[in-house]
Amino acid sequence: MSDASAPVEIELKLAIDPAATAALRGHPAIRAIARARPRTAEVVSTYYDTPDCRLQRAGVALRLRRDGRRWLMTVKGAPLPDGATGVVVRPEFEWPLARPQIDAMRLATTPWRAVFAKAMRKGGLAPAFATTFRRTSVPLAFPDGTTATLAIDLGRLDAPAREGRPATWAGIAEIELELGHGDAARLVELATALAADVPLAPEPRSKAERGYALADGRTPVP
């Protein structure tokens, strides 16, 4: 389900060798367009679903996130990737929270209100997996007026034990180039310039997609 009027997230995600992050932060292409000093914070997110993964089957991801001192609730819809460029567009709704608990009234304002209502009637929502990482964010401003944010994420995904499977985890080492406003082609151009000097690889999967694969036993444990 989608809604043409829904707010969207537009980003390009790339996997990175953790040892290369210092070179990335100091890359001339980043220095030339950085408009503020980097900000680093610990980000802890818990993703929720029903025991039978009703949200996943509907193409919806729901998370509660602590970003530094802030709590946020986020709902994302199914991605619309551009196979030629790697840029992904997905519906995204996000709200600040006073406390770390799901706000059902907010969920009722999204295009997936019926999915959430049924999920809460059919057994409720519970933690499915979690991510913990340090995020270094750099705001970017391109000469044509396009704005974006570079985020460098280093940490891990954790899935709890279930159905006879032990708890599992996988590493997170990736960068995100998220468009603020302007032309998404600038993200591709920057990624191309960075990849010429820093070991980067396309990573089309979101953290939610990787988390579900981990919880389902489809991601090998490092």
Side-chain angles (χ1 to χ4, degrees):
M1 183 183 301
S2 64
D3 185 337
S5 65
V8 296
E9 171 190 64
I10 302 173
E11 70 175 10
L12 176 60
K13 188 188 295 283
L14 301 162
I16 186 170
D17 182 338
T21 57
L24 181 77
R25 289 195 299 270
H27 194 280
I30 297 296
R31 293 203 310 267
I33 57 175
R35 58 176 181 171
R37 295 178 62 84
R39 170 185 176 268
T40 300
E42 182 180 48
V43 180
V44 180
S45 301
T46 301
Y47 291 78
Y48 287 78
D49 208 332
T50 60
D52 62 351
C53 296
R54 186 176 296 272
L55 301 189
Q56 180 192 21
R57 289 187 279 113
V60 184
L62 168 64
R63 76 178 183 222
L64 294 183
R65 167 170 286 183
R66 178 172 60 79
D67 183 351
R69 296 183 177 181
R70 301 184 302 154
W71 283 101
L72 302 165
M73 183 174 77
T74 306
V75 176
K76 296 189 182 188
L80 304 170
D82 182 334
T85 66
V87 174
V88 173
V89 180
R90 56 167 61 84
E92 180 186 62
F93 294 79
E94 188 165 75
W95 307 269
L97 297 175
R99 59 187 64 84
Q101 63 184 40
I102 292 171
D103 185 338
M105 292 183 65
R106 297 286 192 182
L107 298 181
T109 67
T110 72
W112 308 281
R113 59 185 69 84
V115 174
F116 288 120
K118 192 167 186 178
M120 287 184 277
R121 288 198 309 269
K122 300 286 186 177
L125 298 168
F129 52 89
T131 63
T132 304
F133 55 89
R134 288 184 65 80
R135 165 167 285 182
T136 300
S137 301
V138 183
L140 307 175
F142 294 82
D144 70 347
T146 295
T147 64
T149 300
L150 164 68
I152 305 170
D153 296 342
L154 298 176
R156 58 186 284 160
L157 278 154
D158 287 280
R162 70 173 193 174
E163 300 175 359
R165 283 202 299 267
T168 55
W169 70 278
I172 293 172
E174 62 188 30
I175 72 169
E176 295 178 359
L177 292 168
E178 182 171 349
L179 186 69
H181 69 263
D183 190 346
R186 301 291 86 77
L187 306 184
V188 179
E189 293 167 0
L190 177 58
T192 301
L194 297 174
D197 302 310
V198 180
L200 299 171
E203 175 51 273
R205 300 170 300 168
S206 67
K207 292 181 178 67
E209 290 171 307
R210 292 188 62 205
Y212 277 114
L214 184 68
D216 291 343
R218 291 182 280 120
T219 297
V221 180

mmCIF file with all atom_site columns, all heavy atoms in Angstrom, residues 13 56 62 65 70-71 115 142 170 192 197:
data_model
loop_
_atom_site.group_PDB
_atom_site.id
_atom_site.type_symbol
_atom_site.label_atom_id
_atom_site.label_alt_id
_atom_site.label_comp_id
_atom_site.label_asym_id
_atom_site.label_entity_id
_atom_site.label_seq_id
_atom_site.pdbx_PDB_ins_code
_atom_site.Cartn_x
_atom_site.Cartn_y
_atom_site.Cartn_z
_atom_site.occupancy
_atom_site.B_iso_or_equiv
_atom_site.pdbx_formal_charge
_atom_site.auth_seq_id
_atom_site.auth_comp_id
_atom_site.auth_asym_id
_atom_site.auth_atom_id
_atom_site.pdbx_PDB_model_num
ATOM 1   N N   . LYS A 1 13  ? 22.493 4.071   -0.285  1.00 0.00 ? 13  LYS A N   1
ATOM 2   C CA  . LYS A 1 13  ? 23.183 3.376   0.799   1.00 0.00 ? 13  LYS A CA  1
ATOM 3   C C   . LYS A 1 13  ? 24.336 2.553   0.222   1.00 0.00 ? 13  LYS A C   1
ATOM 4   O O   . LYS A 1 13  ? 24.192 1.890   -0.813  1.00 0.00 ? 13  LYS A O   1
ATOM 5   C CB  . LYS A 1 13  ? 22.186 2.461   1.528   1.00 0.00 ? 13  LYS A CB  1
ATOM 6   C CG  . LYS A 1 13  ? 22.732 1.832   2.801   1.00 0.00 ? 13  LYS A CG  1
ATOM 7   C CD  . LYS A 1 13  ? 21.744 0.802   3.349   1.00 0.00 ? 13  LYS A CD  1
ATOM 8   C CE  . LYS A 1 13  ? 20.441 1.432   3.788   1.00 0.00 ? 13  LYS A CE  1
ATOM 9   N NZ  . LYS A 1 13  ? 20.594 2.112   5.099   1.00 0.00 ? 13  LYS A NZ  1
ATOM 10  N N   . GLN A 1 56  ? 5.887  -7.091  8.134   1.00 0.00 ? 56  GLN A N   1
ATOM 11  C CA  . GLN A 1 56  ? 6.848  -7.403  7.074   1.00 0.00 ? 56  GLN A CA  1
ATOM 12  C C   . GLN A 1 56  ? 6.118  -7.834  5.805   1.00 0.00 ? 56  GLN A C   1
ATOM 13  O O   . GLN A 1 56  ? 6.457  -7.397  4.702   1.00 0.00 ? 56  GLN A O   1
ATOM 14  C CB  . GLN A 1 56  ? 7.798  -8.514  7.516   1.00 0.00 ? 56  GLN A CB  1
ATOM 15  C CG  . GLN A 1 56  ? 8.830  -8.886  6.452   1.00 0.00 ? 56  GLN A CG  1
ATOM 16  C CD  . GLN A 1 56  ? 9.579  -10.166 6.778   1.00 0.00 ? 56  GLN A CD  1
ATOM 17  O OE1 . GLN A 1 56  ? 9.104  -10.988 7.562   1.00 0.00 ? 56  GLN A OE1 1
ATOM 18  N NE2 . GLN A 1 56  ? 10.736 -10.352 6.158   1.00 0.00 ? 56  GLN A NE2 1
ATOM 19  N N   . LEU A 1 62  ? 8.307  -0.763  11.331  1.00 0.00 ? 62  LEU A N   1
ATOM 20  C CA  . LEU A 1 62  ? 7.974  0.099   12.473  1.00 0.00 ? 62  LEU A CA  1
ATOM 21  C C   . LEU A 1 62  ? 9.105  0.017   13.479  1.00 0.00 ? 62  LEU A C   1
ATOM 22  O O   . LEU A 1 62  ? 9.497  -1.085  13.878  1.00 0.00 ? 62  LEU A O   1
ATOM 23  C CB  . LEU A 1 62  ? 6.671  -0.370  13.123  1.00 0.00 ? 62  LEU A CB  1
ATOM 24  C CG  . LEU A 1 62  ? 6.323  0.229   14.495  1.00 0.00 ? 62  LEU A CG  1
ATOM 25  C CD1 . LEU A 1 62  ? 6.100  1.735   14.393  1.00 0.00 ? 62  LEU A CD1 1
ATOM 26  C CD2 . LEU A 1 62  ? 5.106  -0.475  15.086  1.00 0.00 ? 62  LEU A CD2 1
ATOM 27  N N   . ARG A 1 65  ? 13.284 4.489   18.120  1.00 0.00 ? 65  ARG A N   1
ATOM 28  C CA  . ARG A 1 65  ? 14.719 4.784   18.045  1.00 0.00 ? 65  ARG A CA  1
ATOM 29  C C   . ARG A 1 65  ? 15.107 5.812   19.091  1.00 0.00 ? 65  ARG A C   1
ATOM 30  O O   . ARG A 1 65  ? 14.400 6.807   19.280  1.00 0.00 ? 65  ARG A O   1
ATOM 31  C CB  . ARG A 1 65  ? 15.076 5.305   16.649  1.00 0.00 ? 65  ARG A CB  1
ATOM 32  C CG  . ARG A 1 65  ? 16.453 5.943   16.534  1.00 0.00 ? 65  ARG A CG  1
ATOM 33  C CD  . ARG A 1 65  ? 16.845 6.205   15.094  1.00 0.00 ? 65  ARG A CD  1
ATOM 34  N NE  . ARG A 1 65  ? 17.204 4.949   14.424  1.00 0.00 ? 65  ARG A NE  1
ATOM 35  C CZ  . ARG A 1 65  ? 17.637 4.884   13.170  1.00 0.00 ? 65  ARG A CZ  1
ATOM 36  N NH1 . ARG A 1 65  ? 17.742 5.988   12.436  1.00 0.00 ? 65  ARG A NH1 1
ATOM 37  N NH2 . ARG A 1 65  ? 17.969 3.712   12.642  1.00 0.00 ? 65  ARG A NH2 1
ATOM 38  N N   . ARG A 1 70  ? 17.175 11.828  22.076  1.00 0.00 ? 70  ARG A N   1
ATOM 39  C CA  . ARG A 1 70  ? 15.829 11.914  21.496  1.00 0.00 ? 70  ARG A CA  1
ATOM 40  C C   . ARG A 1 70  ? 15.234 10.531  21.275  1.00 0.00 ? 70  ARG A C   1
ATOM 41  O O   . ARG A 1 70  ? 15.939 9.589   20.910  1.00 0.00 ? 70  ARG A O   1
ATOM 42  C CB  . ARG A 1 70  ? 15.864 12.634  20.141  1.00 0.00 ? 70  ARG A CB  1
ATOM 43  C CG  . ARG A 1 70  ? 16.406 14.046  20.173  1.00 0.00 ? 70  ARG A CG  1
ATOM 44  C CD  . ARG A 1 70  ? 16.290 14.651  18.772  1.00 0.00 ? 70  ARG A CD  1
ATOM 45  N NE  . ARG A 1 70  ? 17.014 13.843  17.780  1.00 0.00 ? 70  ARG A NE  1
ATOM 46  C CZ  . ARG A 1 70  ? 16.715 13.798  16.483  1.00 0.00 ? 70  ARG A CZ  1
ATOM 47  N NH1 . ARG A 1 70  ? 15.693 14.504  16.013  1.00 0.00 ? 70  ARG A NH1 1
ATOM 48  N NH2 . ARG A 1 70  ? 17.441 13.061  15.649  1.00 0.00 ? 70  ARG A NH2 1
ATOM 49  N N   . TRP A 1 71  ? 13.920 10.423  21.466  1.00 0.00 ? 71  TRP A N   1
ATOM 50  C CA  . TRP A 1 71  ? 13.177 9.221   21.100  1.00 0.00 ? 71  TRP A CA  1
ATOM 51  C C   . TRP A 1 71  ? 12.312 9.538   19.886  1.00 0.00 ? 71  TRP A C   1
ATOM 52  O O   . TRP A 1 71  ? 11.663 10.589  19.831  1.00 0.00 ? 71  TRP A O   1
ATOM 53  C CB  . TRP A 1 71  ? 12.290 8.746   22.246  1.00 0.00 ? 71  TRP A CB  1
ATOM 54  C CG  . TRP A 1 71  ? 13.043 8.031   23.321  1.00 0.00 ? 71  TRP A CG  1
ATOM 55  C CD1 . TRP A 1 71  ? 13.449 8.529   24.516  1.00 0.00 ? 71  TRP A CD1 1
ATOM 56  C CD2 . TRP A 1 71  ? 13.491 6.666   23.279  1.00 0.00 ? 71  TRP A CD2 1
ATOM 57  N NE1 . TRP A 1 71  ? 14.134 7.575   25.238  1.00 0.00 ? 71  TRP A NE1 1
ATOM 58  C CE2 . TRP A 1 71  ? 14.169 6.416   24.503  1.00 0.00 ? 71  TRP A CE2 1
ATOM 59  C CE3 . TRP A 1 71  ? 13.390 5.638   22.343  1.00 0.00 ? 71  TRP A CE3 1
ATOM 60  C CZ2 . TRP A 1 71  ? 14.726 5.182   24.797  1.00 0.00 ? 71  TRP A CZ2 1
ATOM 61  C CZ3 . TRP A 1 71  ? 13.954 4.409   22.638  1.00 0.00 ? 71  TRP A CZ3 1
ATOM 62  C CH2 . TRP A 1 71  ? 14.613 4.191   23.850  1.00 0.00 ? 71  TRP A CH2 1
ATOM 63  N N   . VAL A 1 115 ? -3.550 -2.039  8.526   1.00 0.00 ? 115 VAL A N   1
ATOM 64  C CA  . VAL A 1 115 ? -2.555 -3.076  8.828   1.00 0.00 ? 115 VAL A CA  1
ATOM 65  C C   . VAL A 1 115 ? -2.197 -3.040  10.307  1.00 0.00 ? 115 VAL A C   1
ATOM 66  O O   . VAL A 1 115 ? -2.159 -4.082  10.983  1.00 0.00 ? 115 VAL A O   1
ATOM 67  C CB  . VAL A 1 115 ? -1.295 -2.874  7.966   1.00 0.00 ? 115 VAL A CB  1
ATOM 68  C CG1 . VAL A 1 115 ? -0.192 -3.854  8.382   1.00 0.00 ? 115 VAL A CG1 1
ATOM 69  C CG2 . VAL A 1 115 ? -1.616 -3.030  6.488   1.00 0.00 ? 115 VAL A CG2 1
ATOM 70  N N   . PHE A 1 142 ? 25.454 21.202  -1.847  1.00 0.00 ? 142 PHE A N   1
ATOM 71  C CA  . PHE A 1 142 ? 26.078 21.145  -3.166  1.00 0.00 ? 142 PHE A CA  1
ATOM 72  C C   . PHE A 1 142 ? 25.987 22.521  -3.850  1.00 0.00 ? 142 PHE A C   1
ATOM 73  O O   . PHE A 1 142 ? 25.114 23.327  -3.521  1.00 0.00 ? 142 PHE A O   1
ATOM 74  C CB  . PHE A 1 142 ? 25.400 20.085  -4.025  1.00 0.00 ? 142 PHE A CB  1
ATOM 75  C CG  . PHE A 1 142 ? 25.590 18.682  -3.533  1.00 0.00 ? 142 PHE A CG  1
ATOM 76  C CD1 . PHE A 1 142 ? 24.789 18.174  -2.511  1.00 0.00 ? 142 PHE A CD1 1
ATOM 77  C CD2 . PHE A 1 142 ? 26.565 17.865  -4.079  1.00 0.00 ? 142 PHE A CD2 1
ATOM 78  C CE1 . PHE A 1 142 ? 24.950 16.873  -2.054  1.00 0.00 ? 142 PHE A CE1 1
ATOM 79  C CE2 . PHE A 1 142 ? 26.738 16.564  -3.623  1.00 0.00 ? 142 PHE A CE2 1
ATOM 80  C CZ  . PHE A 1 142 ? 25.934 16.064  -2.605  1.00 0.00 ? 142 PHE A CZ  1
ATOM 81  N N   . ALA A 1 170 ? 24.732 -9.575  13.408  1.00 0.00 ? 170 ALA A N   1
ATOM 82  C CA  . ALA A 1 170 ? 25.515 -9.281  12.211  1.00 0.00 ? 170 ALA A CA  1
ATOM 83  C C   . ALA A 1 170 ? 26.015 -7.846  12.320  1.00 0.00 ? 170 ALA A C   1
ATOM 84  O O   . ALA A 1 170 ? 25.391 -7.004  12.979  1.00 0.00 ? 170 ALA A O   1
ATOM 85  C CB  . ALA A 1 170 ? 24.669 -9.459  10.950  1.00 0.00 ? 170 ALA A CB  1
ATOM 86  N N   . THR A 1 192 ? 30.025 8.177   -6.551  1.00 0.00 ? 192 THR A N   1
ATOM 87  C CA  . THR A 1 192 ? 30.992 7.763   -7.572  1.00 0.00 ? 192 THR A CA  1
ATOM 88  C C   . THR A 1 192 ? 32.377 8.336   -7.274  1.00 0.00 ? 192 THR A C   1
ATOM 89  O O   . THR A 1 192 ? 33.390 7.636   -7.385  1.00 0.00 ? 192 THR A O   1
ATOM 90  C CB  . THR A 1 192 ? 30.512 8.223   -8.961  1.00 0.00 ? 192 THR A CB  1
ATOM 91  O OG1 . THR A 1 192 ? 29.232 7.649   -9.236  1.00 0.00 ? 192 THR A OG1 1
ATOM 92  C CG2 . THR A 1 192 ? 31.499 7.801   -10.038 1.00 0.00 ? 192 THR A CG2 1
ATOM 93  N N   . ASP A 1 197 ? 38.125 6.248   -4.510  1.00 0.00 ? 197 ASP A N   1
ATOM 94  C CA  . ASP A 1 197 ? 39.251 6.271   -3.568  1.00 0.00 ? 197 ASP A CA  1
ATOM 95  C C   . ASP A 1 197 ? 39.020 5.451   -2.299  1.00 0.00 ? 197 ASP A C   1
ATOM 96  O O   . ASP A 1 197 ? 39.979 5.145   -1.587  1.00 0.00 ? 197 ASP A O   1
ATOM 97  C CB  . ASP A 1 197 ? 39.536 7.717   -3.150  1.00 0.00 ? 197 ASP A CB  1
ATOM 98  C CG  . ASP A 1 197 ? 39.855 8.613   -4.330  1.00 0.00 ? 197 ASP A CG  1
ATOM 99  O OD1 . ASP A 1 197 ? 40.714 8.218   -5.143  1.00 0.00 ? 197 ASP A OD1 1
ATOM 100 O OD2 . ASP A 1 197 ? 39.244 9.682   -4.451  1.00 0.00 ? 197 ASP A OD2 1
#
